[in-house]
């Protein structure tokens, strides 16, 4: 009986295979279009194309940026094509990662000007940078690289050591790097899609020891986190994440999350923004199964850098307040984001969410994309722009 | 047509670097030996640059310069170009009218390729007329051998993909699929 069944199965399969060339299998669309419903097939929305070259400082419309009273913004460094995450070396070098430019830069402050050196090029979206014990760590898509004693050899950088190998999927796997209070290096491994059932290795925030050993998942159900920080007082992890696309202009929100300890699941792909069950992947699931977001940041605002302020230059009310740089929407008919927001967290109170720097777009026109945040030694802010390939300096004077 | 206009309107990109068309014309003189008069190449295997979106040509040169894309002819050329050189060249070629290339194409392969172009979503990024946009190249009427070489390189992961989209798109393609797609694309009349 069993033999007969198998034979008929083989026969049926043979028929299917014989017919196969007549019917073309529909292939998955490009990642940015995936999850789009058929009625949106002609949507004009698409990711913002990034220029092939940095914009000279004199052509960057920094005068359009609005800030609270007392704050000023200027272009601190230009010529950093597609600048993303920044990290200080102990000898005062600013290291800057990139995505599509494929380069890593070192910026040396010469007082009246900034000298930009290319220390690595041709890498695969090396967006994440971190520095410790004289070494620069760079996260490109497939590898965590370590450049030892880098500040002594900026003009002749050493060949990097490969500290850790990541999954090779490119989409949503441009990474941030963040040192934890435990001395471990934290990073994101995003969903390799807009909306899908991600493999176990993806849609999380994870950590390794500085030598690449001891890999652990820290937070799961995280679609695409591109910024995180540890609270300066509680030392607990807060991170931002991008919500899925093609559900409409108003949903879902991008989100801020709190992961006080490892092991939480934040909902993806089942639940978005804490209260929307995914129409395809959420069937039979409930948002109550997952850790809710701390704050809805707005739909499609695209939060990138997220940093707590610990300096003393800004007015006292900014102390321990988080800054969220939002590079801005593409999957929305009216642009939103293109700004820097503040989030004030107080125990027992809802987060206070306010505009800090605004005006990086005018209607459909992109005037810049604020991406990552770093602090100057005096407590002022450096803000990278991956559209113009520049770093802004935001400072405060009473 | 409405859709095409809307696609352009969705994001207005600022010119990142002001380009000098006359300088671009002058700087393109040595390129003509392979890429042809007016950017319309006739050497098999060499792409036509006429009418390519400026950001595509510029990004291609950036990738040759930083080593993500490798070619025995282009790598040494791009190594000595500045950002301004690239911007000038790319802007100049974008203004030139593309012409169909004299090449022998297989109608049966092209017919199969037309179906593949739909099922593989080529038009999602390259636009409905495969005329390209922003950093995405015009494919319509491009050289057959060049299209074959690039599709194979994307499938092999050696084409220096910016974001990995073409590498992913090329993975399911069989040798025959690549042949069919290339014959279809090469035979399209490039829009002026």
């Amino acid at each position: 009986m069993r033999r007969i069944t198998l034979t008929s199965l083989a026969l049926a399969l043979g028929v299917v295979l014989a017919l196969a060339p007549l019917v073309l299998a529909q292939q998955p669309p490009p990642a940015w279009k995936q999850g789009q419903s058929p009625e949106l097939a002609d949507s004009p929305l698409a990711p913002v194309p990034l220029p092939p070259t940095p914009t000279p400082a004199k052509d960057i419309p920094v005068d359009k940026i609005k800030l609270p009273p007392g704050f000023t913004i200027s272009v601190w460094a230009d010529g950093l094509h597609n600048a993303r995450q920044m990290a200080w070396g102990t000898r005062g070098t600013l290291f800057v990662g990139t995505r599509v430019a494929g380069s890593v830069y070192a910026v040396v402050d010469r007082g009246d000007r900034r000298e930009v050196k290319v220390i690595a090029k041709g890498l695969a979206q090396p967006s994440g940078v971190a520095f410790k014990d004289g070494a620069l760590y760079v996260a490109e898509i497939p590898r965590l690289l370590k450049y030892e004693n880098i500040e002594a050899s900026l003009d002749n950088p050493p060949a990097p050591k490969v500290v850790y190998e990541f999954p090779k999927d490119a989409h949503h796997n441009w990474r941030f790097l963040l040192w934890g209070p435990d001395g471990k290096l934290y990073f994101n491994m995003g969903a390799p899609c807009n909306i899908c059932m991600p493999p176990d290795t993806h849609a999380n925030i994870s950590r390794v020891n500085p030598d690449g050993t001891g890999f652990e998942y820290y937070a799961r159900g995280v679609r695409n986190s591109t910024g995180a920080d540890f609270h300066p007082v509680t030392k607990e992890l807060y991170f931002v994440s991008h919500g899925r696309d093609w559900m409409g202009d108003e949903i879902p929100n991008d989100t801020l999350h709190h992961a006080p300890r490892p092991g939480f699941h934040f909902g993806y792909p089942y639940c978005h923004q804490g209260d929307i069950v995914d129409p395809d992947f959420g069937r039979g699931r409930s948002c109550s199964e997952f850790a809710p977001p701390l704050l809805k940041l707005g739909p499609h605002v695209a939060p990138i850098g997220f940093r707590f302020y610990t300096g003393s230059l800004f007015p006292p009310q900014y102390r321990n307040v988080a800054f969220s740089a939002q590079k801005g929407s593409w999957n929305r008919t009216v642009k939103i984001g293109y700004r820097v927001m503040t989030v004030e967290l107080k125990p027992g109170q809802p987060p206070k969410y306010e505009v800090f720097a605004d005006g990086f777009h005018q209607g459909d026109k992109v005037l810049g994309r604020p991406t990552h945040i770093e602090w100057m030694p005096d407590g002022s802010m450096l803000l990278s722009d991956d559209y113009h390939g520049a770093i802004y300096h935001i400072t405060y004077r009473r | 047509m409405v859709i095409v206009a809307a696609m352009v309107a969705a994001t207005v990109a600022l010119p990142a670097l002001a380009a000098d068309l006359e300088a671009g014309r002058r700087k393109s003189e040595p390129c003509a030996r392979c890429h042809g008069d007016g950017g319309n190449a006739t050497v098999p295997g060499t792409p036509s640059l006429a009418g390519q979106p400026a950001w595509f040509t510029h990004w291609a040169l950036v990738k040759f310069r930083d080593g993500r894309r490798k070619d025995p002819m282009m790598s040494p050329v791009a190594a000595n170009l500045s950002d301004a050189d690239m911007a000038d060249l790319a802007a100049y070629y974008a203004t030139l009218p593309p012409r169909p290339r004299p090449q022998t194409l297989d109608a049966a392969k092209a017919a199969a390729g037309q179906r593949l172009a739909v099922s593989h979503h080529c038009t999602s990024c390259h636009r409905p007329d495969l005329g390209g946009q922003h950093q995405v190249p015009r494919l319509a009427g491009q050289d057959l051998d060049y299209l074959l070489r690039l599709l194979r390189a994307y499938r092999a992961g050696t084409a220096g993909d910016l974001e990995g989209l073409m590498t992913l798109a090329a993975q399911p393609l069989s040798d025959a699929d690549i042949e069919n797609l290339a014959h279809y694309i090469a035979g399209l009349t490039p829009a002026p």
Side-chain angles (χ1 to χ4, degrees):
Chain A
M1 197 58 198
R2 183 170 175 78
R3 177 171 301 205
I4 293 164
T5 310
L6 278 176
T7 310
S8 26
L9 185 70
L11 271 171
L13 199 63
V15 171
V16 170
L17 287 176
L19 288 172
L22 302 177
V23 187
L24 286 176
Q26 189 66 12
Q27 298 295 323
W32 61 270
K33 219 174 159 62
Q34 190 254 323
Q36 190 186 49
S37 59
E39 62 268 27
L40 291 174
D42 290 337
S43 167
L45 301 176
V48 173
L50 292 170
T53 185
T55 309
K58 65 178 172 54
D59 298 332
I60 297 174
V62 72
D63 56 314
K64 299 285 194 291
I65 309 309
K66 293 180 285 293
L67 291 160
F71 288 91
T72 54
I73 183 169
S74 58
V75 177
W76 185 75
D78 65 351
L80 296 132
H81 187 197
N82 192 224
R84 296 280 292 205
Q85 196 178 14
M86 300 167 279
W88 286 107
T90 44
R91 295 188 207 169
T93 313
L94 185 76
F95 295 99
V96 186
T98 69
R99 272 192 59 212
V100 286
S103 306
V104 180
Y105 303 103
V107 185
V108 182
D109 196 344
R110 301 288 186 207
D112 59 335
R113 68 189 176 87
R114 257 58 63 186
E115 185 182 347
V116 177
K117 299 168 186 282
V118 179
I119 56 170
K121 60 181 182 176
L123 298 178
Q125 304 193 48
S127 61
V129 288
F131 191 93
K132 187 168 247 182
D133 298 333
L136 172 69
Y137 292 75
V138 173
E140 61 162 354
I141 299 273
R143 303 178 302 173
L144 176 61
L145 305 172
K146 182 182 182 184
Y147 297 81
E148 287 176 337
N149 198 22
I150 182 70
E151 283 186 290
S153 47
L154 293 177
D155 292 313
N156 188 20
K161 290 181 177 167
V162 179
V163 173
Y164 187 76
E165 295 198 28
F166 300 114
K168 291 182 172 40
D169 313 79
H171 196 62
H172 290 161
N173 279 282
W174 40 93
R175 302 174 208 286
F176 67 77
L177 289 176
L178 172 68
W179 292 110
D182 51 6
K184 293 174 189 281
L185 199 49
Y186 288 67
F187 49 85
N188 55 308
M189 298 204 285
C193 56
N194 169 35
I195 184 73
C196 63
M197 189 57 67
D200 260 4
T201 46
H202 292 63
N204 61 68
I205 291 175
S206 295
R207 61 184 178 187
V208 290
N209 296 318
D211 64 359
T213 61
F215 173 89
E216 287 173 297
Y217 296 114
Y218 191 84
R220 289 184 182 272
V222 181
R223 178 179 175 273
N224 177 25
S225 175
T226 45
D229 202 1
F230 287 90
H231 191 279
V233 177
T234 66
K235 309 296 180 198
E236 292 171 352
L237 182 69
Y238 290 78
F239 67 89
V240 291
S241 185
H242 294 218
R244 64 159 292 185
D245 298 315
W246 302 120
M247 279 183 81
D249 275 8
E250 302 306 331
I251 56 166
N253 276 255
D254 295 342
T255 42
L256 170 64
H257 299 269
H258 179 203
R261 55 186 186 277
F264 287 102
H265 192 296
F266 291 90
Y268 183 87
Y270 313 104
C271 170
H272 309 294
Q273 68 168 47
D275 53 15
I276 296 176
V277 172
D278 188 82
D280 296 316
F281 292 90
R283 284 189 200 132
R285 308 299 295 251
S286 160
C287 282
S288 63
E289 297 171 53
F290 309 104
L294 190 65
L295 179 66
K296 294 173 183 173
L297 299 174
H300 310 293
V301 297
I304 309 288
F306 180 84
R307 293 291 301 273
F308 287 101
Y309 186 70
T310 56
S312 51
L313 179 76
F314 290 1
Q317 64 264 33
Y318 286 98
R319 194 156 181 88
N320 298 334
V321 162
F323 286 76
S324 166
Q326 304 178 349
K327 74 175 170 61
S329 65
W330 66 266
N331 192 236
R332 193 172 193 275
T333 51
V334 177
K335 280 187 165 37
I336 187 175
Y338 298 90
R339 65 191 182 188
V340 180
M341 302 292 285
T342 52
V343 185
E344 188 180 348
L345 303 169
K346 280 188 178 161
Q349 290 179 26
K352 201 164 136 196
Y353 186 47
E354 291 179 335
V355 175
F356 177 70
D358 203 3
F360 289 92
H361 77 107
Q362 273 179 345
D364 277 337
K365 197 165 164 191
V366 176
L367 301 185
R369 297 206 317 175
T371 53
H372 279 276
I373 295 164
E374 186 53 85
W375 306 113
M376 290 283 265
D378 72 349
S380 55
M381 178 192 283
L382 294 179
L383 177 67
S384 61
D385 178 337
D386 77 346
Y387 191 86
H388 289 304
I391 296 173
Y392 305 112
H393 183 216
I394 297 179
T395 191
Y396 178 77
R397 196 170 295 158
R398 241 170 284 277
Chain B
M1 218 45 218
V2 173
I3 294 167
V4 171
M7 287 177 84
V8 176
T11 290
V12 183
L14 280 181
L17 195 60
D20 181 338
L21 290 178
E22 173 52 25
R25 189 198 58 75
R26 205 165 8 87
K27 291 169 183 175
S28 77
E29 281 167 11
C31 314
R33 205 167 64 177
C34 299
H35 290 288
D37 285 335
N40 286 290
T42 52
V43 183
T46 304
S48 291
L49 304 178
Q52 285 293 357
W55 281 12
F56 162 71
T57 306
H58 194 147
W59 266 117
L61 290 167
V62 166
K63 290 189 289 182
F64 281 125
R65 183 174 62 185
D66 69 30
R68 276 180 286 183
R69 199 172 161 188
K70 291 182 176 68
D71 180 85
M73 293 298 289
M74 283 310 299
S75 298
V77 169
N80 297 314
L81 296 180
S82 68
D83 283 352
D85 292 337
M86 293 181 180
D88 293 346
L89 285 164
Y92 171 65
Y93 280 117
T95 64
L96 302 177
R99 286 199 298 271
R101 295 179 65 128
Q103 47 193 350
T104 310
L105 300 170
D106 182 314
K109 286 179 181 175
Q114 184 168 14
R115 293 191 294 272
L116 286 166
V118 174
S119 62
H120 288 258
H121 305 275
C122 303
T123 56
S124 290
C125 301
H126 293 276
R127 293 175 56 143
D129 64 355
L130 298 186
Q133 58 177 335
H134 306 304
Q135 79 280 24
V136 181
R138 171 176 68 78
L139 304 176
Q142 191 51 281
D143 175 68
L144 177 67
D145 290 355
Y146 175 75
L147 291 169
L148 290 169
R149 189 169 84 240
L150 263 286
L151 280 169
R152 288 169 187 147
Y154 276 119
R155 189 177 59 182
T158 59
D161 206 353
L162 270 192
E163 298 194 82
L165 290 172
M166 269 307 297
T167 304
L168 272 180
Q171 294 313 303
L173 296 174
S174 68
D175 288 347
D177 290 342
I178 287 178
E179 282 267 336
N180 294 340
L181 270 172
H183 276 261
Y184 166 63
I185 293 166
L188 293 173
T189 305

